[in-house]
C-alpha cells in the first residue's frame, strides 16, 4: 500500500479564476489527493486583480473543496514547487493554441528540475474557449459572465468595471 500523498501544484495567473480553471481543479482531485493552486505574481503582465484579490477569489470559489489550498509565489515555478516538496505541476490544455506555449514551459521546467513532472489535463469541451482575458473583455463592455465564472468573481468584476 502506498501511503504517500499525491500532491500537485496548479500554477497560473488566475486573473480571475474561471469555471475552466475550476473544472481542472475538480477533475484534478480525481487524480491527486491535494492540489495547491499557486497564483503567480507575474511582473510581465498587468493584471486586473491584485495577487491578494486573486487569492481571495480562488479561496472563495474553492471553499467547498477541503483538499484545495491557495497560495501565491514569485520567481521561478520550479523553486516554488521544490520548496513545497511537490513533484507534479498540473496545467490545463484548451485549444491547440495552448500546446506550443505549454510545451515550452514544460521543457524549460524539465531542464531546470528533471525530477518534477508536468501533468496536462485536457479542458472539458464546454470550457475549451474560456479564458480569463475573454471574461475580462466581456465584463468590461457590460456583457454577462454569469455562466463563465463563479458568483464571487462575477461580483468582483462588476465592482472593477462599475
Ligand atoms: P497562465 O498565465 O499561467 O497561462 P492562466 O490563469 O491563464 O495562467 O492559466 C492557468 C492554467 O489553467 C494554464 O495551464 C491554462 O492552460 C489553464 N486554463 C485556463 N483556462 C482554462 C480552461 N478554460 N480550461 C482548461 N484549462 C484552462
Amino acid at each position: 500500500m502506498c501511503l504517500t500523498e499525491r500532491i500537485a501544484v496548479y500554477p497560473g495567473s488566475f486573473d480571475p479564476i474561471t469555471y475552466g480553471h475550476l473544472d481542472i481543479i475538480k477533475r484534478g482531485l480525481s487524480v491527486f489527493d491535494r492540489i495547491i493552486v499557486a497564483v503567480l505574481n507575474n511582473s510581465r503582465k498587468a493584471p486586473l486583480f491584485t495577487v491578494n484579490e486573486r487569492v481571495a477569489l480562488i479561496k472563495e470559489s474553492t471553499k467547498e473543496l477541503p483538499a484545495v489550498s491557495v497560495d501565491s509565489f514569485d520567481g521561478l515555478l520550479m523553486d516554488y514547487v521544490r520548496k513545497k516538496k511537490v513533484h507534479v505541476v498540473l496545467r490545463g490544455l484548451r485549444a491547440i493554441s495552448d500546446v506550443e506555449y505549454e510545451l515550452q514551459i514544460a521543457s524549460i521546467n524539465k531542464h531546470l528540475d528533471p525530477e518534477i513532472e508536468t501533468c496536462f489535463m485536457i479542458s472539458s469541451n464546454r470550457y475549451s474557449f474560456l479564458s480569463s482575458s475573454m471574461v475580462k473583455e466581456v465584463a468590461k463592455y457590460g456583457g454577462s459572465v454569469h455562466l463563465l465564472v463563479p458568483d464571487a468573481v462575477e461580483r468582483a468584476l462588476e465592482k472593477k468595471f462599475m
Side-chain angles (χ1 to χ4, degrees), residues 10-24 27 38 40 42 44-45 54 90-95 98 101-102 105 119-124 126-133:
Y10 179 34
S13 309
F14 304 102
D15 184 41
I17 184 167
T18 69
Y19 278 143
H21 294 122
L22 216 47
D23 176 61
I24 295 292
R27 288 170 47 222
L40 170 62
N42 190 342
R44 259 191 324 120
K45 292 187 183 176
R54 282 179 268 160
L90 175 64
R91 294 283 288 178
L93 275 186
R94 289 163 291 189
D98 272 346
Y101 172 66
E102 290 294 338
I105 309 181
C119 173
F120 292 106
M121 190 159 260
I122 309 286
S123 142
S124 297
R126 58 194 295 217
Y127 300 128
S128 59
F129 291 98
L130 177 55
S131 66
S132 301
S133 4

Side-chain angles (χ1 to χ4, degrees), residues 1 8 10-11 22 30 34 46-47 57 63 80 84 96 103-104 106 115 117-119 123 130 134 141-142 147:
M1 196 170 72
Y10 179 34
L22 216 47
S30 64
R34 278 206 295 129
L57 288 173
K63 64 179 180 213
Y80 172 77
K84 289 279 163 189
I96 197 79
L103 284 185
Q104 274 181 24
E115 303 209 329
E117 297 296 339
T118 301
C119 173
S123 142
L130 177 55
M134 248 0 138
Y141 295 106
L147 297 174

Side-chain angles (χ1 to χ4, degrees), residues 66-120:
V68 174
S69 55
V70 189
D71 195 7
S72 63
F73 72 102
D74 40 39
L76 286 177
L77 172 64
M78 289 300 104
D79 290 339
Y80 172 77
V81 173
R82 251 196 311 263
K83 202 177 79 195
K84 289 279 163 189
K85 300 192 181 353
V86 173
H87 298 281
V88 182
V89 170
L90 175 64
R91 294 283 288 178
L93 275 186
R94 289 163 291 189
I96 197 79
S97 48
D98 272 346
V99 173
E100 193 173 347
Y101 172 66
E102 290 294 338
L103 284 185
Q104 274 181 24
I105 309 181
S107 323
I108 195 72
N109 285 341
K110 199 75 191 159
H111 166 78
L112 292 173
D113 194 328
E115 303 209 329
I116 296 173
E117 297 296 339
T118 301
C119 173
F120 292 106

